[in-house]
Amino acid sequence: MASYSTNEFRSGLKVLLDGDPCIILDNEFVKPGKGQAFNRVKLRNLTTNRQWERTFKSGESLEAADVMDQEMEYLYTDGEFWHFMKTDGSFEQYPADAKAVSDVLKWLKEQDVYTVTLYNGAPLAVTPPNFVELEVVDTDPGMKGDTAQGGTKPATLSTGAVVNVPLFITIGEVLKVDTRSGEYVSRVKS
Amino acid sequence: MSDLDDWQPTASLAALESRAQQLAWVRGFFASRKVMEVETPVMGRCSVTDLNIGSVPASPQLPGDESRQYWLQTSPEYPMKRLLAAGAGPIYQVARVFRDGERGVRHNPEFSLLEWYRPGFDDRELMAEVADLVCGWLGCPRPAYLTYRQAFEQFVGVDPFAADDESLRRLCAPWMTDAQLSRLLRDECLDLLMSLRVEPELARMGPVFITGYPESQAALARVSEVDGLRQAHRFELYVGGVELCNGYWELTDADEQQRRFDADNRARRRAGRQEMPVDQALLAAMRAGVPDCAGVALGLDRLLMLKLGLDDIAGVLAFPVERA
């Protein structure tokens, strides 16, 4: 496996730190004029999502992590694994475990396309697109003519996600939702 | 930033104008004090042996000479000392210098160094002149004085001369793993603590000279016993936590210089770094007699950053290395 020296560190680089795959967020070079140079590096552990800070002597190196992002379509779950398929026409399938899908589960809809992060060829994490379109399966009855009031109520979507929606939304409508904030964006015209 | 924009300078035109003014001001400062401006080669047969300073190699083709390795200079120190030995008197230079591998918000591998030498001065007298120049240009209060030992005692809570290696390593534990720490040399621990513990504190103070460095960090300064401790007559000026200059009451003893060069190369060998050829011309000049003097090198790019209140060196460079 390749390795990267501190002077090759840049944000976005994926490396192994203490055995875990990490992405470099920031690399700050410090050096007393006559003294030893150091790199203060901020990283995010891709397994735990926790942010780390570590200082290296300049010239130290880290092993590259075999991490890559792939667009994949979500197929189905057998209860133990969630199965995804590459969209490049190869029909290659990848089973993701509960840990990998834990953050995406409430946005997961069959036949939609997600970003699957592979580590050593196995799904490490699944990221939803920024916007998803999901059907409302449960909410209080709509209140017509109340569109200008700006009040909200909870609505349960087909994936189980609960979002706050305007009062006029009714069961059966399809909504556009921002997965980063978990907020309602608009109704989708059918 | 797309490649198409790479032709443009990163410094504003106003910053470049300040740069020109700074240079004119510096030249006026030395002209009024009868210090002669000199120029020495940017590309030399030798470079420094310092463990922590990397030189950029150059490979010129010289007529009638087999090809040999030259180096872009990391500072004009050695050739300027040869001029001192030749009787040049007080001299200064605005030099383009190169340090391999150094890039960050306060570092560019090619930068402008103002270096000057004062025969007959000691470190105290030269610090006063540095203060005249820096405070005259920046309009800042005159620097306070803090010894290296006081700075560590005050801000790290350790005596850098008395503490054993193991306790220094323990102080570095917030930033490194045990495996990394086990490989950290004493001076590397001190450098880490200087950068990450002391400098942020100095940033909260006005300008301050750090003096009295440990003998192991003497570089080219003479060493004497002060308060029962072997201390180097070396000083640095910090303004706003930014390391601005490094000066010495210069070592003039050729034999001691030779020993330090050899010790540097031994340390380079241990660290797996390339050994550097020893500058015999400098040693010959020292044997012929470099006058008692003090000398200092000051980063002009950082001085301009402070003048303009900028945090990134790119703001004072027309073209940093990525756009060079």
Side-chain angles (χ1 to χ4, degrees), chain A residues 30-32 38, chain B residues 190-200:
Chain A
V30 294
K31 180 183 190 301
F38 296 95
Chain B
L190 291 173
D191 288 338
L192 182 74
L193 294 167
M194 188 66 182
S195 293
L196 303 185
R197 286 287 292 278
V198 177
E199 278 189 22

Side-chain angles (χ1 to χ4, degrees), chain B residues 119-137:
Chain B
F121 277 32
D122 64 12
D123 40 348
R124 287 278 148 180
E125 290 167 293
L126 187 57
M127 279 189 271
E129 187 163 65
V130 169
D132 291 344
L133 181 125
V134 170
C135 302
W137 172 241

